Amino acid sequence: MNDDLQKELGTVRSEIDAIDADLLDLLNRRAKCAQKVGEIKGRYGDAGHIYRPEREAQVLRRIQETNPGPLSNESVTWFFREVMSACLSLEQPLGIAFLGPLGTFSEQAAVKHFGHAARLLPQSSIDDVFRDVEAGHADYAVVPVENSTEGAVGRTLDMLLGTSLKICGEVVLRIHQHLLCKETDLATVTKVVSHAQSLAQCHEWLNRNLPGVPRISVGSNAQAAQLAASEPGTAAIAGEAAADRYQLPKLAANIEDEPNNTTRFLVLGRHDAGPSGRDKTSLIVSTPNRSGALADLLSPFSDAGVSMSRLESRPARHALWEYVFYVDVEGHRDDPGVASALRQLEARAGYLKLLGSYPAAVY
Ligand SMILES: O=C(O)C(=O)C[C@]1(C(=O)O)C=C[C@@H](O)C=C1
């Protein structure tokens, strides 16, 4: 019986070993192609454009469309993201600035988009994330721009107004909150620490499962995880990145009250992206404050059949009760409909800033 088991396992494991050898060979062949691409870009003076968000989006979308299973699309996407990340790092290692410390959801978003071969450069504020890329210390920035329950991230919108950076990508991250703790029993948890937003997002779960246990807000989820790693009885609410970073077991997983809680992040660089076939264009406009002005201003988009996916207003800082509008439309600025709407908008708007065209997020 044991011999039969060993024999059957042995046969399949030999097959796995042979496949692994093929995979290794194929992966290295792919890596050599990426090196060749890097060399070609360098020869044509395109070395500043090593990272190609539109090409990466196309590769990942094709993988998802042709995936026969049984591996899930999530698994194969993750795998190919890491393969491209490793290949890209042979062409040019990328430094990615994001809102730190390590272990935050921003880190998770940066890794989801750029893979593990990218160099992570945590910053202490959203302003510093922008500055790090503007000054050339980092290649790209990842900043949160909106959350499905909390709304817009005002500081990111304000920084977009003054920056020379372009949006070249977006990352959409499902926010799963976990109770991280060295204790193995909820009954021994004496306090819960987290960022105020995360405590709020798990309010009902805490009422049900840890009634009466003090909740203490700290600067970030990552800081909370650090505390939980060092203080017996302290549990942190934080995400996967913090659990990994501080090697904390999950005493309870996915404890967020709103299961669809999602944050959208922008990827910013010194150039935007070429068309990928499924793109977005973001811009900021302002118009004189009179009734119907905004509808008139934006009508070129509907006239050209271009869908608007987001409209956000924000006070213009220079004048009381004046607003600027953050608009996302579907399509690339080079698409004929978008291009013609932008030309008309430019003629009508008091102020227009094109933030960039970029591939819609690949989930
Ligand atoms: O096709 C390219 O331009 C490449 O550099 C290759 C590759 C890849 O590994 O597929 C790597 C990095 C780019 O961001 C896009 C794709």
Side-chain angles (χ1 to χ4, degrees):
M1 158 89 174
N2 225 356
D3 282 354
D4 287 349
L5 171 75
Q6 291 307 334
K7 203 170 140 208
E8 278 199 45
L9 280 182
T11 309
V12 185
R13 282 180 178 161
S14 303
E15 202 179 334
I16 288 179
D17 288 346
I19 293 169
D20 284 350
D22 287 349
L23 272 178
L24 188 62
D25 181 50
L26 288 170
L27 286 169
N28 280 307
R29 271 174 54 199
R30 191 189 191 287
K32 282 182 190 158
C33 285
Q35 282 177 317
K36 228 181 273 174
V37 170
E39 184 261 314
I40 295 167
K41 286 177 190 165
R43 229 177 329 110
Y44 284 83
D46 216 7
H49 288 64
I50 295 291
Y51 168 59
R52 293 294 168 92
E54 68 280 12
R55 170 71 183 154
E56 296 203 359
Q58 285 166 342
V59 169
L60 295 178
R61 286 176 196 150
R62 193 188 58 235
I63 294 295
Q64 293 189 349
E65 281 156 20
T66 56
N67 174 28
L71 288 175
S72 67
N73 270 359
E74 195 187 350
S75 298
V76 291
T77 304
W78 178 88
F79 177 77
F80 278 89
R81 153 76 52 234
E82 288 298 333
V83 169
M84 281 194 288
S85 173
C87 288
L88 176 61
S89 75
L90 292 176
E91 295 182 60
Q92 178 197 42
L94 294 184
I96 313 300
F98 63 97
L99 183 59
L102 289 168
T104 57
F105 286 111
S106 289
E107 178 192 347
Q108 245 169 273
V111 172
K112 180 176 179 191
H113 194 76
F114 287 100
H116 282 86
R119 206 156 41 94
L120 296 176
L121 304 169
Q123 306 296 313
S124 51
S125 67
I126 288 181
D127 295 36
D128 284 348
V129 176
F130 275 81
R131 272 188 224 116
D132 215 43
V133 184
E134 284 165 353
H137 301 313
D139 298 292
Y140 294 94
V142 174
V143 285
V145 67
E146 58 176 324
N147 173 267
S148 57
T149 46
E150 310 286 333
V153 180
R155 193 61 203 154
T156 295
L157 296 185
D158 290 344
M159 290 300 289
L160 285 172
L161 207 50
T163 189
S164 58
L165 300 179
K166 294 281 179 197
I167 303 175
C168 61
E170 63 168 2
V171 195
V172 176
L173 192 73
R174 277 289 271 278
I175 302 294
H176 291 298
Q177 305 277 12
H178 312 302
L179 190 75
L180 307 178
C181 188
K182 289 195 156 161
E183 309 295 331
T184 50
D185 187 352
L186 276 180
T188 52
V189 173
T190 52
K191 102 179 142 184
V192 179
V193 289
S194 193
H195 189 272
Q197 256 183 28
S198 298
L199 288 171
Q201 288 172 10
C202 304
H203 179 79
E204 286 170 31
W205 188 93
L206 289 169
N207 284 351
R208 275 195 315 275
N209 295 280
L210 289 169
V213 174
R215 302 169 198 178
I216 293 153
S217 79
V218 293
S220 71
N221 293 351
Q223 192 189 337
Q226 272 168 343
L227 288 171
S230 60
E231 294 175 7
T234 297
I237 295 178
E240 202 71 46
D244 289 350
R245 178 79 45 196
Y246 302 103
Q247 297 187 350
L248 280 166
K250 291 177 197 156
L251 190 48
N254 303 335
I255 62 169
E256 62 277 5
D257 298 328
E258 170 54 67
N260 294 322
N261 190 8
T262 301
T263 298
R264 179 169 167 257
F265 295 82
L266 296 176
V267 182
L268 300 158
R270 286 179 282 278
H271 55 85
D272 63 353
S276 74
R278 199 149 57 76
D279 301 287
K280 285 187 180 175
T281 296
S282 295
L283 47 117
I284 306 176
V285 277
S286 77
T287 173
N289 195 2
R290 60 168 175 79
S291 84
L294 181 64
D296 286 350
L297 181 69
L298 297 177
S299 64
F301 287 120
S302 49
D303 294 347
V306 173
S307 306
M308 205 183 303
S309 53
R310 180 162 177 252
L311 176 64
E312 190 87 45
S313 69
R314 190 106 188 113
R317 296 170 138 218
H318 58 271
L320 191 60
W321 306 125
E322 294 268 326
Y323 289 87
V324 286
F325 298 92
Y326 292 74
V327 182
D328 290 353
V329 296
E330 286 174 13
H332 192 276
R333 62 181 157 75
D334 290 348
D335 296 348
V338 178
S340 118
L342 285 174
R343 275 193 302 275
Q344 291 180 53
L345 197 64
E346 198 163 16
R348 296 177 185 196
Y351 170 84
L352 170 68
K353 182 179 183 189
L354 195 58
L355 296 172
S357 290
Y358 50 93
V362 180
Y363 290 81

